[in-house]
Amino acid sequence: MIILKLGGSVITRKDSTEPEVDHANLDRIAGEIAENKSKALVIVHGAGSFGHPFAKKYSIGSTIKNDDDFKEKKKGFCLTQSWVKKLNTMVCDKLREKGIFAVSIQPSSFLLTKNKRIYSGDLQLIKKYVEMGFVPVIYGDVVLDTDESIKTAVLSGDQIIKYLAENLRAERVILGSDVDGIYTKNPKKYQDAQFISVVSSLEDLELIEGASAVDVTGGMGGKLKELLILAQNGIESEIINANKSNNINKALKGKKGIGTIIK
Amino acid sequence: MIILKLGGSVITRKDSTEPEVDHANLDRIAGEIAENKSKALVIVHGAGSFGHPFAKKYSIGSTIKNDDDFKEKKKGFCLTQSWVKKLNTMVCDKLREKGIFAVSIQPSSFLLTKNKRIYSGDLQLIKKYVEMGFVPVIYGDVVLDTDESIKTAVLSGDQIIKYLAENLRAERVILGSDVDGIYTKNPKKYQDAQFISVVSSLEDLELIEGASAVDVTGGMGGKLKELLILAQNGIESEIINANKSNNINKALKGKKGIGTIIK
């Protein structure tokens, strides 16, 4: 089974103030996925401009100050859940249009976190969908948290990736991002940023995180942590540029080294 | 905890060839629910014109004939799942607009049937949402079935009602329908149809089913079976006319005898 991540920055216009899909990208990527229909596949997508602005506005996952604050957070929870679900519906519809048996899977219906990390969530159903030839499409969402001081949390697509890959024993994880892979610095800002073709140790991560603390590399540090834990468990992943035409198609067909391999 | 059903025939234009929401009804009913915000509540809604036409077209839940037939069914499964999810999004958005902390719960993400009856599905999360003051909004959906000859099934809102009420030990079940309650015959067709204020035994059911075999009473027979099993387990329910203004409001406030009581 392959787990494919579609980054929120790829399928949405992430910097938009309003939730906005990148229709051209979504259409092209759905087409590339459709070229690999015979593969056992699970798709995880990010929230981009459909999630982050709301989760941030209502500080989902931060300590609850009082009853009024909790009410505001609950309002924000419902609002965020609705928007990310709308994005998921559009992603599934586009995949279905291309002939893929895309089935929506809503994290807030079955996953629970404990201090923002996935704590419980039965994956038997997802496994069953894949076995039947469906393509489950799961996504970054808001979920309940067992920690009484926060009660709700934002669950990132990257954390879902790790949880699914470990528990479903994925053969391969492909992360479609808006950059070519991992750099020593943010390549969008620094011309001397060096591309790293393979990351395999925490030392590599420290090197990059040192850079990201200054550069804010779009959350690459957090993403890498998840992937390095996966690598330790024997599951290889690769971060590729999904904005570039045909990269996802090639990666799904088995090509390696398009981006940065984490192993 | 109260479980409130919003029938597909109430919130959608059920006879429409295209999925179509009954916006006036949905808006009014959301307002009536909002008048009872302090109540611990779970809402279950039907699919109406968002589900039945697709489920029927693709014969979801019927025996799979061959590989091609299964492919068609999978296509239909994905399509139906998408449309009922769209309806659910609209219901949740409308409830949220009225100040209710409506959280969408997607059956196909966590429920499994065995020969079309719910077989497994952890309700701890729904319980937790209610305890926190959210209002979970769950709905008629397509789900996977353990029976290899059908593999997928249509899960009705009525079956969900029974499963939730039993497992969450609901105090009361209110079913918002498009008729005043149970009649000996279809009241829309027969002037001599007699209203039944209380149903309490299988004999009553047989009487009505006898009529329904001729009249097709809009699935009242199936609904009643679920409710009679509930009644045997000590959970009372009432079928009321949700098309009539203020009925849901009154029922949520505790008024009984608006429609037909099943006990």
Side-chain angles (χ1 to χ4, degrees), chain B residues 186-260:
Chain B
N186 185 342
K188 288 176 179 172
K189 283 192 178 174
Y190 297 94
Q191 282 216 320
D192 64 339
Q194 283 184 295
F195 182 76
I196 304 172
S197 56
V198 178
V199 177
S200 55
S201 73
L202 280 166
E203 286 74 41
D204 292 340
L205 178 61
E206 275 159 24
L207 179 75
I208 299 154
E209 278 205 302
S212 78
V214 186
D215 304 332
V216 192
T217 55
M220 270 300 177
K223 204 187 289 286
L224 260 180
K225 266 187 203 162
E226 308 281 357
L227 299 176
L228 277 166
I229 302 171
L230 261 190
Q232 280 173 351
N233 293 327
I235 298 162
E236 188 178 305
S237 58
E238 181 165 351
I239 299 174
I240 64 170
N241 193 338
N243 278 337
K244 288 189 180 164
S245 183
N246 225 25
N247 268 356
I248 284 188
N249 179 23
K250 285 187 286 187
L252 286 175
K253 286 197 164 56
K255 189 170 159 59
K256 293 186 179 184
I258 299 167
T260 298

Coordinates of all heavy atoms in Angstrom, one line a residue, chain B residues 186-260:
Chain B
N186 N -52.2 4.7 4.7 CA -51.5 5.9 4.3 C -52.5 7.1 4.3 O -53.5 7.1 3.4 CB -50.9 5.7 2.9 CG -50.1 6.9 2.4 OD1 -50.2 8.0 3.0 ND2 -49.3 6.7 1.4
P187 N -52.4 8.1 5.2 CA -53.3 9.1 5.3 C -53.3 10.1 4.1 O -54.3 10.8 3.9 CB -52.9 9.9 6.5 CG -51.4 9.6 6.6 CD -51.2 8.2 6.1
K188 N -52.3 10.0 3.3 CA -52.2 10.9 2.1 C -53.1 10.3 1.0 O -53.4 11.0 0.0 CB -50.8 11.0 1.6 CG -49.9 11.9 2.6 CD -48.5 12.0 2.2 CE -47.7 12.8 3.1 NZ -46.2 12.8 2.9
K189 N -53.4 9.0 1.1 CA -54.2 8.4 0.1 C -55.6 8.1 0.5 O -56.6 8.1 -0.3 CB -53.5 7.1 -0.4 CG -52.3 7.3 -1.3 CD -51.9 6.0 -1.9 CE -50.8 6.2 -2.9 NZ -50.3 4.9 -3.4
Y190 N -55.8 7.7 1.8 CA -57.1 7.2 2.2 C -57.7 8.1 3.3 O -57.1 8.4 4.3 CB -56.9 5.8 2.8 CG -56.4 4.8 1.8 CD1 -55.1 4.5 1.6 CD2 -57.3 4.2 0.9 CE1 -54.6 3.6 0.6 CE2 -56.9 3.3 -0.1 CZ -55.6 3.0 -0.2 OH -55.1 2.2 -1.2
Q191 N -58.9 8.6 3.0 CA -59.6 9.4 3.9 C -60.0 8.7 5.2 O -60.1 9.3 6.2 CB -60.8 10.0 3.2 CG -60.5 11.2 2.3 CD -61.5 12.2 2.3 OE1 -62.7 11.9 2.3 NE2 -61.1 13.5 2.3
D192 N -60.2 7.4 5.1 CA -60.6 6.6 6.3 C -59.5 6.1 7.1 O -59.6 5.3 8.0 CB -61.6 5.5 5.9 CG -60.9 4.4 5.0 OD1 -59.8 4.8 4.4 OD2 -61.3 3.3 5.0
A193 N -58.3 6.6 6.8 CA -57.1 6.2 7.6 C -57.3 6.6 9.0 O -57.7 7.8 9.3 CB -55.8 6.8 7.0
Q194 N -57.0 5.7 10.0 CA -57.2 6.1 11.4 C -55.9 6.4 12.1 O -54.9 5.6 11.9 CB -57.9 5.0 12.1 CG -59.4 5.0 11.8 CD -60.1 3.9 12.6 OE1 -59.9 2.7 12.4 NE2 -61.0 4.3 13.5
F195 N -55.8 7.5 12.8 CA -54.6 7.8 13.5 C -54.5 6.9 14.7 O -55.4 6.6 15.4 CB -54.7 9.3 14.0 CG -53.5 9.8 14.7 CD1 -52.3 10.1 14.0 CD2 -53.5 9.9 16.1 CE1 -51.2 10.5 14.7 CE2 -52.4 10.4 16.8 CZ -51.2 10.7 16.1
I196 N -53.2 6.5 15.0 CA -53.0 5.6 16.2 C -52.1 6.5 17.1 O -51.0 6.8 16.8 CB -52.2 4.3 15.8 CG1 -53.1 3.6 14.7 CG2 -52.0 3.5 17.0 CD1 -52.3 2.4 14.1
S197 N -52.6 6.7 18.3 CA -51.8 7.6 19.2 C -50.7 6.9 20.0 O -49.7 7.5 20.3 CB -52.8 8.3 20.2 OG -53.5 7.4 20.9
V198 N -50.9 5.6 20.2 CA -49.9 4.8 20.9 C -49.7 3.4 20.2 O -50.7 2.8 20.0 CB -50.2 4.6 22.4 CG1 -49.2 3.7 23.1 CG2 -50.4 5.9 23.1
V199 N -48.5 3.1 19.9 CA -48.2 1.7 19.4 C -47.3 1.1 20.5 O -46.3 1.6 20.9 CB -47.4 1.8 18.1 CG1 -47.0 0.4 17.6 CG2 -48.2 2.5 17.0
S200 N -47.7 -0.1 20.9 CA -47.0 -0.8 21.9 C -46.7 -2.3 21.7 O -46.1 -2.9 22.5 CB -47.6 -0.5 23.3 OG -49.0 -1.0 23.2
S201 N -47.2 -2.8 20.6 CA -47.0 -4.2 20.4 C -46.8 -4.6 19.0 O -47.2 -3.8 18.1 CB -48.2 -5.0 21.0 OG -49.3 -4.8 20.1
L202 N -46.3 -5.8 18.8 CA -46.1 -6.3 17.4 C -47.5 -6.5 16.7 O -47.5 -6.4 15.5 CB -45.3 -7.6 17.5 CG -43.8 -7.4 17.6 CD1 -43.2 -8.7 18.0 CD2 -43.2 -6.8 16.4
E203 N -48.5 -6.7 17.5 CA -49.8 -6.9 16.9 C -50.2 -5.6 16.2 O -50.7 -5.6 15.1 CB -50.9 -7.3 17.9 CG -50.8 -8.7 18.4 CD -49.7 -8.9 19.3 OE1 -49.4 -8.1 20.2 OE2 -49.0 -10.0 19.2
D204 N -50.0 -4.5 16.9 CA -50.3 -3.2 16.3 C -49.5 -3.0 14.9 O -50.0 -2.6 13.9 CB -49.8 -2.0 17.2 CG -50.6 -1.9 18.5 OD1 -51.8 -2.5 18.5 OD2 -50.2 -1.3 19.4
L205 N -48.3 -3.5 15.0 CA -47.4 -3.4 13.8 C -47.9 -4.2 12.7 O -48.0 -3.7 11.6 CB -46.0 -3.8 14.2 CG -45.0 -3.8 13.1 CD1 -44.8 -2.4 12.5 CD2 -43.6 -4.3 13.5
E206 N -48.4 -5.4 13.0 CA -48.9 -6.3 12.0 C -50.1 -5.6 11.3 O -50.2 -5.7 10.1 CB -49.3 -7.6 12.5 CG -48.1 -8.6 12.6 CD -48.2 -9.7 13.6 OE1 -49.4 -10.1 13.9 OE2 -47.2 -10.2 14.0
L207 N -50.9 -5.0 12.1 CA -52.1 -4.4 11.6 C -51.7 -3.3 10.5 O -52.2 -3.2 9.4 CB -52.9 -3.7 12.7 CG -54.1 -2.9 12.4 CD1 -55.3 -3.9 12.1 CD2 -54.5 -2.0 13.5
I208 N -50.7 -2.5 10.9 CA -50.3 -1.4 10.1 C -49.5 -2.0 8.8 O -49.7 -1.5 7.7 CB -49.3 -0.5 10.9 CG1 -50.1 0.1 12.0 CG2 -48.8 0.6 10.0 CD1 -49.3 0.6 13.2
E209 N -48.7 -3.0 9.1 CA -47.9 -3.5 8.0 C -48.9 -4.2 6.9 O -48.6 -4.1 5.8 CB -47.0 -4.6 8.5 CG -45.7 -4.0 9.0 CD -44.5 -4.9 8.9 OE1 -44.6 -6.0 9.5 OE2 -43.5 -4.6 8.2
G210 N -49.9 -4.8 7.4 CA -50.9 -5.3 6.5 C -51.4 -4.2 5.6 O -51.5 -4.4 4.4
A211 N -51.6 -3.1 6.2 CA -52.1 -1.9 5.4 C -51.0 -1.5 4.4 O -51.2 -1.2 3.3 CB -52.5 -0.8 6.3
S212 N -49.8 -1.4 5.0 CA -48.7 -0.8 4.2 C -48.3 -1.7 3.0 O -47.7 -1.2 2.1 CB -47.4 -0.6 5.1 OG -46.8 -1.8 5.3
A213 N -48.5 -3.0 3.1 CA -48.2 -3.9 2.0 C -49.0 -3.4 0.8 O -48.5 -3.5 -0.4 CB -48.6 -5.3 2.3
V214 N -50.2 -2.9 1.0 CA -51.0 -2.4 -0.1 C -50.6 -0.9 -0.4 O -50.5 -0.5 -1.5 CB -52.5 -2.5 0.3 CG1 -53.4 -2.1 -0.9 CG2 -52.8 -3.9 0.8
D215 N -50.4 -0.1 0.7 CA -50.4 1.3 0.5 C -49.0 1.9 0.3 O -48.9 3.1 -0.1 CB -51.0 2.0 1.7 CG -52.4 1.5 1.9 OD1 -53.1 1.1 0.9 OD2 -52.9 1.5 3.1
V216 N -48.0 1.2 0.7 CA -46.6 1.7 0.7 C -46.6 3.0 1.5 O -46.7 4.1 1.0 CB -46.0 2.0 -0.7 CG1 -44.6 2.3 -0.6 CG2 -46.3 0.8 -1.6
T217 N -46.6 2.9 2.8 CA -46.8 4.0 3.7 C -45.4 4.8 3.9 O -45.2 5.3 5.0 CB -47.3 3.6 5.1 OG1 -46.4 2.6 5.6 CG2 -48.7 3.1 5.0
G218 N -44.6 4.8 2.9 CA -43.4 5.6 3.1 C -42.4 5.0 4.1 O -41.8 5.7 4.8
G219 N -42.4 3.7 4.1 CA -41.4 3.0 5.0 C -41.7 3.1 6.5 O -40.9 2.8 7.3
M220 N -43.0 3.4 6.8 CA -43.4 3.4 8.2 C -43.2 2.1 8.9 O -42.9 2.0 10.1 CB -44.8 3.9 8.4 CG -44.9 5.5 8.5 SD -44.0 6.1 9.9 CE -44.3 7.9 9.7
G221 N -43.5 1.0 8.2 CA -43.3 -0.3 8.7 C -41.9 -0.6 9.2 O -41.8 -0.9 10.4
G222 N -40.9 -0.3 8.4 CA -39.5 -0.5 8.8 C -39.1 0.4 10.0 O -38.5 -0.1 10.9
K223 N -39.6 1.6 9.9 CA -39.3 2.6 11.0 C -39.9 2.0 12.3 O -39.2 2.0 13.4 CB -40.0 3.9 10.7 CG -39.4 5.1 11.3 CD -40.2 6.4 11.1 CE -40.2 6.9 9.7 NZ -38.9 7.6 9.3
L224 N -41.1 1.6 12.3 CA -41.8 1.1 13.5 C -41.1 -0.1 14.1 O -41.0 -0.3 15.3 CB -43.2 0.7 13.1 CG -44.3 1.8 13.5 CD1 -45.6 1.3 13.2 CD2 -44.2 2.1 15.0
K225 N -40.6 -1.0 13.2 CA -39.9 -2.2 13.7 C -38.8 -1.8 14.6 O -38.6 -2.3 15.7 CB -39.4 -3.0 12.6 CG -40.3 -4.1 12.2 CD -39.7 -5.0 11.1 CE -40.7 -5.8 10.3 NZ -40.2 -6.3 9.0
E226 N -38.0 -0.8 14.1 CA -36.8 -0.3 14.9 C -37.3 0.2 16.2 O -36.7 0.0 17.3 CB -36.1 0.8 14.1 CG -35.6 0.5 12.7 CD -34.4 -0.4 12.6 OE1 -33.8 -0.7 13.7 OE2 -34.0 -0.8 11.5
L227 N -38.3 1.0 16.2 CA -38.8 1.7 17.4 C -39.4 0.7 18.4 O -39.3 1.0 19.6 CB -39.8 2.8 17.0 CG -39.2 3.9 16.1 CD1 -40.3 4.9 15.6 CD2 -38.0 4.6 16.7
L228 N -40.1 -0.3 17.9 CA -40.7 -1.3 18.8 C -39.6 -2.1 19.5 O -39.7 -2.4 20.7 CB -41.6 -2.2 18.1 CG -43.0 -1.7 17.8 CD1 -43.8 -2.5 16.8 CD2 -43.8 -1.6 19.2
I229 N -38.5 -2.4 18.8 CA -37.4 -3.0 19.5 C -36.8 -2.1 20.6 O -36.5 -2.5 21.7 CB -36.2 -3.4 18.5 CG1 -36.8 -4.3 17.4 CG2 -35.1 -4.1 19.2 CD1 -35.8 -4.6 16.3
L230 N -36.7 -0.8 20.3 CA -36.3 0.2 21.3 C -37.2 0.2 22.5 O -36.8 0.2 23.6 CB -36.3 1.6 20.6 CG -35.0 2.2 20.1 CD1 -35.2 3.6 19.8 CD2 -33.9 2.0 21.1
A231 N -38.5 0.2 22.2 CA -39.5 0.3 23.2 C -39.4 -0.9 24.2 O -39.5 -0.8 25.4 CB -40.9 0.3 22.6
Q232 N -39.1 -2.1 23.6 CA -38.9 -3.3 24.4 C -37.7 -3.1 25.3 O -37.7 -3.7 26.4 CB -38.7 -4.5 23.5 CG -40.0 -5.1 22.9 CD -39.7 -6.2 21.8 OE1 -38.6 -6.4 21.4 NE2 -40.7 -6.8 21.4
N233 N -36.8 -2.3 24.9 CA -35.6 -2.1 25.8 C -35.8 -0.9 26.7 O -34.8 -0.3 27.3 CB -34.4 -1.9 24.9 CG -34.0 -3.1 24.2 OD1 -34.1 -4.2 24.7 ND2 -33.5 -3.0 22.9
G234 N -37.0 -0.4 26.7 CA -37.3 0.7 27.7 C -37.1 2.1 27.2 O -37.2 3.0 28.0
I235 N -36.9 2.3 25.9 CA -36.7 3.6 25.4 C -37.9 4.0 24.5 O -38.2 3.4 23.5 CB -35.4 3.7 24.6 CG1 -34.2 3.4 25.5 CG2 -35.3 5.1 24.0 CD1 -32.9 3.1 24.7
E236 N -38.6 5.1 25.0 CA -39.8 5.5 24.4 C -39.5 6.5 23.2 O -38.5 7.2 23.3 CB -40.6 6.3 25.5 CG -42.0 6.7 25.0 CD -42.8 7.4 26.1 OE1 -42.9 6.8 27.2 OE2 -43.2 8.5 25.9
S237 N -40.3 6.4 22.2 CA -40.1 7.3 21.1 C -41.4 7.9 20.6 O -42.5 7.3 21.0 CB -39.3 6.6 19.9 OG -40.1 5.5 19.5
E238 N -41.3 8.9 19.9 CA -42.5 9.6 19.3 C -42.3 10.1 17.9 O -41.3 10.7 17.7 CB -43.0 10.7 20.3 CG -44.3 11.3 19.8 CD -45.0 12.2 20.8 OE1 -44.6 12.2 22.0 OE2 -45.9 12.9 20.4
I239 N -43.2 9.7 17.1 CA -43.1 10.2 15.7 C -44.0 11.4 15.6 O -45.2 11.3 15.9 CB -43.6 9.1 14.7 CG1 -42.7 7.9 14.8 CG2 -43.7 9.6 13.3 CD1 -43.2 6.7 13.9
I240 N -43.4 12.5 15.2 CA -44.2 13.8 15.1 C -44.1 14.4 13.7 O -43.2 14.0 13.0 CB -43.7 14.8 16.2 CG1 -42.3 15.3 15.9 CG2 -43.9 14.3 17.6 CD1 -41.8 16.5 16.7
N241 N -45.0 15.3 13.4 CA -44.9 16.0 12.1 C -44.0 17.2 12.2 O -44.4 18.2 12.8 CB -46.4 16.4 11.7 CG -46.4 16.8 10.3 OD1 -45.4 17.2 9.7 ND2 -47.6 16.7 9.7
A242 N -42.9 17.1 11.6 CA -41.9 18.2 11.7 C -42.1 19.2 10.6 O -41.5 20.3 10.6 CB -40.5 17.6 11.5
N243 N -43.1 19.0 9.7 CA -43.5 20.0 8.8 C -44.4 21.0 9.4 O -44.5 22.1 8.9 CB -44.3 19.3 7.6 CG -43.3 18.7 6.6 OD1 -42.2 19.1 6.5 ND2 -43.8 17.8 5.8
K244 N -44.9 20.7 10.6 CA -45.8 21.6 11.3 C -44.9 22.5 12.2 O -44.2 21.9 13.1 CB -46.9 20.9 12.0 CG -48.0 20.4 11.1 CD -49.2 19.9 11.8 CE -50.2 19.3 10.8 NZ -51.2 18.5 11.5
S245 N -45.0 23.8 12.1 CA -44.2 24.7 12.8 C -44.4 24.5 14.3 O -45.5 24.3 14.8 CB -44.7 26.1 12.5 OG -43.9 27.1 13.1
N246 N -43.3 24.5 15.0 CA -43.2 24.5 16.5 C -43.4 23.1 17.1 O -43.2 22.9 18.3 CB -44.3 25.4 17.1 CG -43.7 26.2 18.2 OD1 -42.4 26.4 18.3 ND2 -44.5 26.6 19.2
N247 N -43.7 22.0 16.3 CA -43.8 20.7 16.9 C -42.4 20.2 17.5 O -42.4 19.6 18.5 CB -44.2 19.7 15.8 CG -45.7 19.5 15.7 OD1 -46.4 20.1 16.6 ND2 -46.2 18.8 14.8
I248 N -41.3 20.4 16.7 CA -40.0 20.0 17.2 C -39.7 20.7 18.5 O -39.2 20.2 19.5 CB -39.0 20.1 16.1 CG1 -39.2 19.0 15.1 CG2 -37.6 20.1 16.7 CD1 -38.1 18.8 14.1
N249 N -39.9 22.0 18.4 CA -39.6 22.9 19.6 C -40.4 22.3 20.9 O -39.8 22.1 21.9 CB -40.1 24.3 19.3 CG -39.8 25.2 20.5 OD1 -39.0 25.0 21.4 ND2 -40.6 26.3 20.5
K250 N -41.7 22.1 20.7 CA -42.5 21.6 21.8 C -42.0 20.2 22.3 O -41.9 20.0 23.5 CB -44.0 21.5 21.4 CG -44.6 22.8 21.4 CD -46.1 22.7 21.1 CE -46.5 22.3 19.7 NZ -47.9 22.4 19.4
A251 N -41.7 19.3 21.3 CA -41.3 18.0 21.7 C -39.9 18.0 22.4 O -39.7 17.3 23.4 CB -41.1 17.1 20.4
L252 N -39.0 18.9 22.0 CA -37.7 19.0 22.7 C -37.9 19.6 24.1 O -37.2 19.3 25.0 CB -36.8 20.0 21.9 CG -36.2 19.3 20.6 CD1 -35.4 20.4 19.8 CD2 -35.3 18.1 20.9
K253 N -38.9 20.4 24.2 CA -39.2 21.0 25.6 C -39.9 20.0 26.5 O -40.1 20.3 27.7 CB -40.1 22.2 25.4 CG -39.3 23.5 24.9 CD -40.0 24.8 25.2 CE -39.1 26.0 25.0 NZ -38.4 26.1 23.7
G254 N -40.2 18.8 26.0 CA -40.7 17.7 26.8 C -42.2 17.4 26.6 O -42.7 16.4 27.2
K255 N -42.9 18.1 25.7 CA -44.3 17.8 25.5 C -44.4 16.5 24.8 O -43.7 16.1 23.9 CB -44.9 18.9 24.6 CG -46.4 18.8 24.5 CD -47.0 20.1 23.8 CE -48.3 19.8 23.2 NZ -49.4 19.4 24.2
K256 N -45.4 15.7 25.3 CA -45.6 14.4 24.7 C -47.0 14.3 24.1 O -47.9 15.1 24.4 CB -45.5 13.3 25.7 CG -44.0 13.1 26.2 CD -43.9 11.9 27.1 CE -42.4 11.8 27.6 NZ -42.2 10.6 28.4
G257 N -47.2 13.4 23.2 CA -48.5 13.2 22.6 C -48.8 14.1 21.4 O -49.9 14.3 21.0
I258 N -47.8 14.7 20.8 CA -47.9 15.5 19.6 C -48.2 14.6 18.4 O -49.0 14.9 17.6 CB -46.7 16.3 19.4 CG1 -46.4 17.3 20.5 CG2 -46.8 17.1 18.1 CD1 -45.0 17.9 20.5
G259 N -47.6 13.4 18.5 CA -47.8 12.5 17.4 C -48.1 11.1 17.9 O -48.9 11.0 18.8
T260 N -47.5 10.1 17.4 CA -47.7 8.7 17.8 C -46.6 8.3 18.7 O -45.4 8.4 18.4 CB -47.8 7.7 16.6 OG1 -48.9 8.1 15.8 CG2 -47.9 6.3 17.1

